[in-house]
């Protein structure tokens, strides 16, 4: 729909039963987040908070809480935008010559940003402290903006068409920030805003930053959309929203989104950082306090009918899961066109997205089943691990399409079993050590530092995975508690992890007791702190296994060896997924807050029958 504003979207959702109003006053400290999480877990509606304690502004969340609702908001534009993205080879050319491509004409018109100055009268000024101070998790360092659109321009190529619009988290208060004058930006230097900052720093100039909150839902979606080179987020926002991105510049030269509900303008100076965090993040753990760029606040603008938009992130699935599903709907077919031989890739949401990828590729170098082995798919794997945010992955499981035409990367259990049953553990694990991983992932050996591994499978089955352990299976003390998670995968409870030396001794002990046992049906042992929780379902299995391990240091194997610098084992593989002393704490809800929000579900309350 061509929503003119966030208020327009809220009204449309409410009219069609996709949104409910919470009329009671709600505390932004933990309560709003707890309500959001409870409603999301029930597959519930979008939430409009009429009275936010300590702020005059209402707030909305869970807009993208279901794929159904997300598609409803863009029901008039999705097919045209999908057509535009499918022209990935040269979408900019398509926009410049729309008449040559049927159906693109109106989309091209709405994609062009519109600069006009009379929008200035829509806005008033406020301060950071008057905004909703929403804190999501008990250990968070302060209130954060969790649905921002951060706008910066290239100092060498100024203007909206060469600008970057990204979603980077913003800390509004807490730590050492001077209230109303300073806020924190969390982003990595390789991101679009980081490139702009580097260019500005090289010239000794501050980077101008505009932070937009709210506006039509096409705007935040554009901020997270992986777009083709040359297609700006503002252009995509217009095409997706059936409404041109409207903007102007204020008296200080900052770009203002005319349809946004709030705009915070400020400058980032070279080498000025302050501690940012902790923050409960999408891996299901806290990202800890680290120095990140400091933004000096110039102005805070708001519309007359402004609504504060927010979300809550945590262990998947969350609202950003639906975000990702919508992005896949729009652009899922584009990535295989960029990587020759790639058929499908899934950044596994249940494992926190970045830690684990499942992929399917062609294996045409050895066409006969009995001879087939990973060759072409290894080339494809290297392409995947060098591609945009896919490069943050630690684990990549990749299989050959020729072995099973019906293989599906979204069938987590089935895909893992397919790979594990066909792998030769002596040759098919390929490590990348001392490399980069996600900044939010603390399983490695330093900030943004860790390792990667490729599990590659092609050809005939090497083993028949079993859902039961063989008769006579024995484990040494203290390994007495275990449970099969899925066929071929055993969750094994270990002692509390102390250090690498103790872990190595434990692996020697396991090797001694398992190397002579018949374990043909067992491919993977996950060493964990709670075997029952890990084995309870596939989502628990992938979350524990792949968020709590660093491949190079935590993968072991029965009968392990090194040959020509290549590590392998006779099997099964062991992944040590216990909590380590350097890991970040996991997200745990506040029980007092959980009890307190029960009042919203009582008879006559706004959420009666929903929570």
């Amino acid at each position: 729909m061509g929503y003119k504003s966030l208020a327009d979207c809220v009204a449309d959702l409410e009219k069609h039963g996709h949104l409910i109003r919470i009329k009671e006053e709600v505390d932004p400290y933990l309560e709003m987040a707890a309500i959001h999480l409870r409603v999301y877990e029930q597959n519930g509606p979008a939430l409009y908070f009429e009275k936010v304690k300590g702020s005059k502004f209402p707030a909305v969340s869970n807009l993208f809480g279901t794929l159904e609702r997300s598609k409803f908001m863009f029901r008039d534009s999705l097919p045209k935008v999908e057509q535009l993205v499918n022209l990935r080879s040269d979408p900019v050319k398509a926009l410049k010559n729309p008449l040559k491509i049927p159906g693109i004409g109106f989309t091209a018109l709405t994609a062009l940003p519109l600069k006009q100055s009379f929008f200035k009268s829509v806005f008033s000024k406020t301060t950071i402290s008057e905004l909703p101070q929403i804190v999501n998790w008990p250990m968070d360092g302060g209130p954060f903006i969790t649905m921002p659109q951060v706008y910066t321009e290239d100092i060498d190529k100024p203007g909206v068409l060469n600008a970057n619009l990204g979603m980077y988290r913003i800390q509004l208060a807490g730590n050492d920030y001077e209230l109303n004058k300073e806020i924190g930006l969390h982003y990595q230097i390789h991101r679009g805003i980081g490139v702009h900052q580097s260019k500005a720093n090289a010239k000794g100039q501050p980077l101008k930053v505009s932070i937009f909150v709210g506006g039509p839902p096409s705007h935040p979606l554009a901020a997270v959309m992986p777009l083709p080179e040359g297609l700006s987020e503002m252009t995509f926002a217009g095409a997706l929203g059936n409404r041109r991105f409207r903007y102007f510049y204020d008296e200080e030269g900052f770009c203002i989104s005319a349809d946004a509900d709030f705009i915070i303008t400020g400058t980032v100076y070279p080498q000025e950082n302050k501690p940012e965090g902790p923050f409960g993040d999408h891996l299901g753990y806290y990202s800890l306090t680290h120095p990140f760029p400091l933004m000096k606040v110039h102005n805070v603008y708001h519309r007359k009918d402004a609504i504060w938009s927010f979300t809550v992130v945590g262990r998947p699935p969350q609202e950003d899961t639906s975000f990702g599903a919508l992005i896949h709907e729009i652009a899922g077919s584009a990535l295989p066109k960029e990587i020759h031989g790639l058929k499908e890739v899934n950044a596994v949401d249940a494992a926190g997205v970045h830690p684990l990828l499942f992929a399917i590729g062609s294996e045409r170098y050895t066409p006969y089943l009995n001879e087939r082995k990973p060759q072409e798919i290894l080339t494809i794997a290297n392409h995947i691990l060098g591609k945009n945010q896919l490069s943050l992955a630690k684990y990549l499981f990749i299989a050959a399409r020729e072995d099973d035409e019906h293989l599906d990367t979204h069938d987590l259990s089935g895909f893992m079993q397919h790979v594990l049953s066909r792998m030769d553990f002596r040759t098919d694990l390929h490590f990348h050590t001392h490399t980069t991983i996600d900044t939010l992932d603390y399983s490695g050996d330093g900030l943004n530092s860790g390792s990667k591994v490729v599990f590659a499978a092609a050809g005939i089955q090497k083993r028949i995975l079993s859902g039961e352990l063989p008769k006579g299976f024995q484990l040494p003390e203290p390994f007495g508690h275990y449970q099969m998670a899925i066929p071929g995968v055993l969750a094994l409870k270990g002692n509390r992890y102390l250090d690498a030396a103790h872990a190595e001794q434990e692996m020697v002990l396991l090797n001694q007791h398992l190397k002579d046992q018949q374990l043909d049906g067992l491919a993977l042992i996950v060493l964990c702190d709670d075997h029952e929780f890990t084995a309870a379902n596939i989502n628990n299995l992938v979350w524990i296994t792949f968020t709590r391990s660093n491949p190079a240091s935590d993968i072991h194997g029965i009968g392990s060896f090194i040959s020509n610098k290549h590590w392998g084992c006779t099997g099964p593989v062991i992944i040590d997924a216990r909590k380590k002393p350097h890991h970040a704490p996991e997200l745990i809800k506040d029980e007092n807050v959980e009890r307190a929000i029960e009042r919203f579900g009582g008879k006559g309350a706004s959420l009666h029958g929903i929570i």
Side-chain angles (χ1 to χ4, degrees):
M1 289 287 288
Y3 298 121
K4 296 179 180 179
S5 64
L6 180 55
D8 194 15
C9 174
V10 165
D12 183 50
L13 291 178
E14 186 173 29
K15 176 183 176 182
H16 290 89
H18 289 291
L19 178 141
I20 193 165
R21 290 175 177 264
I22 300 176
K23 300 181 182 300
E24 302 90 338
E25 184 179 71
V26 187
D27 195 333
Y29 181 75
L30 302 183
E31 278 195 355
M32 292 175 70
I35 291 170
H36 168 104
L37 290 172
R38 191 82 67 88
V39 172
Y40 175 83
E41 288 165 3
Q42 299 299 318
N43 223 22
L47 299 170
Y48 184 85
F49 297 85
E50 291 187 353
K51 299 175 184 176
V52 178
K53 184 178 179 180
S55 178
K56 65 181 180 181
F57 300 108
V60 67
S61 76
N62 207 33
L63 288 176
F64 298 89
T66 67
L67 180 58
E68 175 195 16
R69 186 159 60 250
S70 299
K71 294 172 75 171
F72 174 81
M73 289 189 291
F74 303 114
R75 57 193 180 275
D76 295 336
S77 59
L78 271 181
K80 290 175 287 187
V81 171
E82 289 171 3
Q83 183 182 12
L84 177 63
V85 173
N86 284 334
L87 297 168
R88 200 176 180 93
S89 59
D90 197 351
V92 179
K93 182 179 179 181
L95 289 172
K96 290 178 179 178
N97 300 280
L99 297 180
K100 294 183 179 180
I101 304 171
I104 288 293
F106 181 74
T107 305
L109 176 62
T110 58
L112 297 175
L114 175 63
K115 180 180 180 182
Q116 289 186 341
S117 59
F118 62 77
F119 296 118
K120 296 180 181 180
S121 61
V122 174
F123 292 93
S124 302
K125 287 188 178 182
T126 185
T127 63
I128 295 293
S129 59
E130 291 181 330
L131 303 174
Q133 304 292 299
I134 300 172
V135 177
N136 289 350
W137 294 97
M139 290 174 57
D140 280 359
F144 284 81
I145 308 177
T146 52
M147 193 74 84
Q149 308 142 47
V150 184
Y151 176 97
T152 56
E153 293 189 6
D154 188 326
I155 196 169
D156 295 329
K157 295 183 291 184
V160 68
L161 290 179
N162 294 311
N164 177 74
L165 190 71
M167 192 170 286
Y168 316 110
R169 76 175 190 238
I170 312 294
Q171 186 169 350
L172 291 175
N175 295 349
D176 298 330
Y177 299 122
E178 188 175 352
L179 185 62
N180 293 321
K181 294 183 179 180
E182 299 174 338
I183 59 178
L185 307 183
H186 181 111
Y187 57 85
Q188 288 76 50
I189 199 67
H190 68 277
R191 306 295 293 275
I193 184 175
V195 173
H196 288 174
Q197 184 189 354
S198 295
K199 287 188 174 184
N201 288 356
K203 295 190 174 184
Q205 298 182 25
L207 176 69
K208 287 188 171 183
V209 180
S210 299
I211 300 167
F212 311 142
V213 178
S218 59
H219 292 194
L221 183 58
V224 296
M225 190 76 188
L227 295 175
E229 190 70 28
L231 183 60
S232 81
E233 289 84 6
M234 280 57 67
T235 297
F236 182 82
L240 180 62
N242 267 341
R243 177 177 169 84
R244 297 172 71 177
F245 181 88
R246 289 155 164 77
Y247 71 101
F248 62 90
Y249 289 89
D250 70 3
E251 291 76 7
E252 298 180 0
F254 289 91
C255 183
I256 307 298
S257 167
D259 288 338
D261 287 68
F262 298 87
I263 302 96
I264 304 172
T265 63
T267 45
V268 175
Y269 285 81
Q271 310 307 318
E272 287 200 10
N273 300 317
K274 277 194 174 182
E276 184 266 0
F279 178 74
D281 231 312
H282 69 268
L283 293 183
Y285 308 90
Y286 287 93
S287 56
L288 303 180
T289 304
H290 298 286
F292 274 95
L294 174 71
M295 175 172 153
K296 295 186 180 295
V297 176
H298 285 224
N299 288 294
V300 183
Y301 302 101
H302 70 90
R303 294 173 61 94
K304 293 175 182 176
D305 60 348
I307 303 169
W308 185 259
S309 178
F310 77 99
T311 188
V312 182
V313 292
R315 182 192 162 185
Q318 298 293 349
E319 185 179 358
D320 53 0
T321 300
S322 302
F323 238 150
L326 182 60
I327 290 171
H328 183 76
E329 286 267 332
I330 297 171
S333 63
L335 187 60
K337 295 178 182 178
E338 295 186 9
I339 301 178
H340 186 66
L342 178 64
K343 304 301 180 184
E344 183 180 336
V345 63
N346 174 25
V348 179
D349 182 72
V353 179
H354 292 152
L356 176 64
L357 301 176
F358 285 171
I360 300 170
S362 296
E363 186 52 77
R364 296 164 293 195
Y365 294 0
T366 48
Y368 302 109
L369 178 63
N370 290 338
E371 300 176 3
R372 193 176 298 137
K373 60 183 179 180
Q375 289 186 307
E376 184 180 5
I377 59 174
L378 294 180
T379 302
I380 296 168
N382 286 329
H383 276 276
I384 292 172
L385 292 178
K387 190 70 176 174
N388 300 330
Q389 293 205 50
L390 298 180
S391 65
L392 300 176
K394 295 184 300 183
Y395 288 86
L396 169 58
F397 281 57
I398 187 166
R401 169 64 77 194
E402 290 77 5
D403 293 336
D404 183 352
E405 290 291 334
H406 303 290
L407 194 59
D408 180 4
T409 60
H410 291 83
D411 174 7
L412 304 187
S413 177
F415 190 84
M416 280 189 70
Q417 291 178 63
H418 174 94
V419 172
L420 292 173
S421 68
R422 284 169 170 77
M423 284 187 65
D424 185 336
F425 298 134
R426 298 170 301 176
T427 58
D428 295 346
L429 287 99
H430 301 270
F431 289 85
H432 300 254
T433 60
H434 297 292
T435 186
T436 56
I437 60 174
D438 189 356
T439 304
L440 309 178
D441 190 331
Y442 289 85
S443 65
D445 48 18
L447 184 65
N448 201 37
S449 177
S451 60
K452 306 179 188 299
V453 66
V454 175
F455 282 61
I460 60 173
Q461 282 190 310
K462 311 296 190 299
R463 61 191 63 81
I464 304 298
L465 302 181
S466 175
E468 298 179 355
L469 292 170
K471 291 182 179 180
F473 178 77
Q474 292 183 341
L475 283 168
E477 291 291 340
F479 302 107
H481 302 283
Y482 49 81
Q483 183 174 329
M484 294 301 297
I486 60 175
V489 180
L490 178 71
L492 173 63
K493 179 179 173 62
N495 279 340
R496 182 172 64 88
Y497 184 96
L498 296 176
D499 53 43
H502 281 88
E504 193 60 41
Q505 292 173 6
E506 292 170 321
M507 296 309 144
V508 170
L509 188 62
L510 283 172
N511 251 299
Q512 290 174 346
H513 282 76
L514 294 180
K515 64 181 180 180
D516 296 323
Q517 295 188 44
Q518 295 298 316
L519 302 176
D520 293 340
L522 185 62
L524 175 63
I525 298 173
V526 178
L527 190 59
C528 55
D529 300 299
D530 185 339
H531 63 293
E532 292 180 341
F533 176 85
T534 303
N537 55 62
I538 187 63
N539 285 353
N540 286 2
L541 176 65
V542 298
W543 184 62
I544 291 291
T545 305
F546 302 110
T547 65
R548 296 184 181 178
S549 61
N550 176 30
S553 58
D554 293 326
I555 288 182
H556 309 271
I558 304 304
S560 62
F561 62 89
I562 296 176
S563 175
N564 294 327
K565 313 299 188 297
H566 180 89
W567 184 93
C569 64
T570 55
V573 174
I574 301 172
I575 298 180
D576 189 342
R578 292 175 292 180
K579 295 177 185 177
K580 318 295 192 303
H582 60 279
H583 286 185
E586 65 188 274
L587 302 181
I588 300 174
K589 295 178 180 179
D590 186 300
E591 291 302 322
N592 291 328
V593 173
E594 292 300 307
R595 286 191 292 270
I597 66 170
E598 292 290 341
R599 70 185 188 275
F600 296 98
K603 188 174 182 179
S606 295
L607 297 177
H608 180 63
I610 297 177
I611 64 171

